[in-house]
Amino acid sequence: MKKTLFVLLVSLLALGLFTPALAGDRTVVRIGRDITVEAGERADDVVAIGGDVRIYGTVRGDAVAVGGSVYLEEDAEVHGDAVAVGGAIYEEEGSYVRGDIVEVDAFNWGGLRHSLHFGSPHFWGWPWGFRVMGFIGCLALGLILALLLPKQLETVSGRIRETPLAVLAYGFIGVLLIVPVLIVLVISIVGILLIPLELAAVVFFGLFGYYAVAWVIGDKLSQSLGKETPVVLFSLILGLILLGIVDIIPFFGNLVGLVAVVMGFGAVLMAIHKREKK
């Protein structure tokens, strides 16, 4: 297991995030793209995160797809395990898997990566053109979180007010660690079962942090309008409306939304880290 982890991590760093082609016998890791092992080709291990794995040739190790499916074509051979998280294993007659076949119905990153693209009209889940129902749903969720977790929201927003640059740094580091943590979890059956938990935590932390950023923005705007002690819910609504309006602006709105999510994500991580240290 340690050897496999080392190979996966080194391959990710050495080959880059987007491996251009499969050549020779090696471990291949791709993020956001599919992997194809052609007939007559061989690979040690193949790991696709946010893509599919399609095998015509031979994989001497494991074939893993996180947020995609594994397709075993005729005469395909996998000497290790075939694992699909958020997808399925499709076996053609004549294919062969020596190890275990594992399917975890979790989270489809393949569709998510398209919806999170900068040019997408649904970037970070915000409907383009300010679609009323989507905004009302986002607003309602923010109000529910503010009512159920007021102290936690106040703590996270406090981190944003006190150390915005440090919070942003925490967010970037946290985002960069998402994929390595996924790779560590992928290499073991027990870890694979924890992947949905990690993805759920990432989504919740990012969303919760986004509302904290909206609260800070609304609070600053309220104070500039002359309200010395603005109501939390009023500040939250005001901040969400302002972010929603900015989000309509092409590219710039997406960039602001991305920064808000990363900053909020970092604020949640910092709050957890500081609490654990205490």
Side-chain angles (χ1 to χ4, degrees):
M1 181 181 295
K2 291 182 179 180
K3 176 179 177 295
T4 303
L5 173 61
F6 176 77
V7 171
L8 287 175
L9 293 178
V10 171
S11 299
L12 179 62
L13 295 175
L15 301 177
L17 295 181
F18 301 100
T19 307
L22 182 65
D25 300 343
R26 67 183 185 188
T27 295
V28 179
V29 178
R30 287 185 182 175
I31 300 174
R33 293 180 60 191
D34 300 335
I35 297 177
T36 300
V37 181
E38 299 291 351
E41 291 182 333
R42 295 182 299 173
D44 289 335
D45 297 284
V46 290
V47 179
I49 299 177
D52 297 327
V53 173
R54 190 175 297 273
I55 302 172
Y56 296 89
T58 302
V59 175
R60 296 186 296 188
D62 300 328
V64 180
V66 179
S69 299
V70 177
Y71 297 88
L72 303 173
E73 305 296 343
E74 185 178 359
D75 298 328
E77 294 185 9
V78 177
H79 295 182
D81 299 331
V83 180
V85 180
I89 308 291
Y90 298 97
E91 301 177 81
E92 292 291 339
E93 186 176 354
S95 62
Y96 168 76
V97 178
R98 183 176 183 179
D100 297 325
I101 296 178
V102 181
E103 295 181 351
V104 180
D105 186 10
F107 191 82
N108 194 333
W109 267 27
L112 177 67
R113 63 188 172 94
H114 294 296
S115 67
L116 296 187
H117 192 272
F118 268 119
S120 168
H122 298 281
F123 185 76
W124 291 114
W126 283 84
W128 186 258
F130 234 145
R131 293 183 182 176
V132 178
M133 293 303 296
F135 178 73
I136 292 177
C138 182
L139 188 62
L141 180 59
L143 295 178
I144 291 173
L145 289 176
L147 292 173
L148 295 179
L149 303 171
K151 292 183 179 180
Q152 290 81 354
L153 193 61
E154 182 178 0
T155 299
V156 174
S157 64
R159 297 294 177 186
I160 298 172
R161 290 187 180 92
E162 296 169 4
T163 55
L165 293 180
V167 160
L168 192 59
Y170 262 82
F172 277 118
I173 294 174
V175 170
L176 292 176
L177 288 177
I178 292 175
V179 171
V181 171
L182 274 176
I183 294 176
V184 172
L185 295 178
V186 159
I187 64 173
S188 66
I189 299 300
V190 176
I192 288 175
L193 299 178
L194 297 178
I195 289 177
L197 181 61
E198 185 207 349
L199 296 177
V202 169
V203 172
F204 179 75
F205 289 172
L207 187 62
F208 192 83
Y210 184 86
Y211 286 126
V213 172
W215 181 8
V216 173
I217 293 175
D219 189 63
K220 295 291 185 181
L221 184 58
S222 298
Q223 292 181 15
S224 66
L225 295 175
K227 293 182 177 292
E228 297 182 0
T229 57
V231 180
V232 174
L233 294 181
F234 176 78
S235 297
L236 179 60
I237 294 172
L238 192 60
L240 287 174
I241 292 175
L242 183 60
L243 286 174
I245 294 174
V246 173
D247 186 68
I248 298 176
I249 304 174
F251 183 75
F252 178 75
N254 293 338
L255 183 60
V256 171
L258 177 61
V259 172
V261 172
V262 173
M263 179 174 285
F265 184 61
V268 175
L269 295 180
M270 176 181 281
I272 294 174
H273 182 219
K274 297 296 183 181
R275 180 176 179 180
E276 291 298 324
K277 289 182 65 176
K278 289 182 179 180

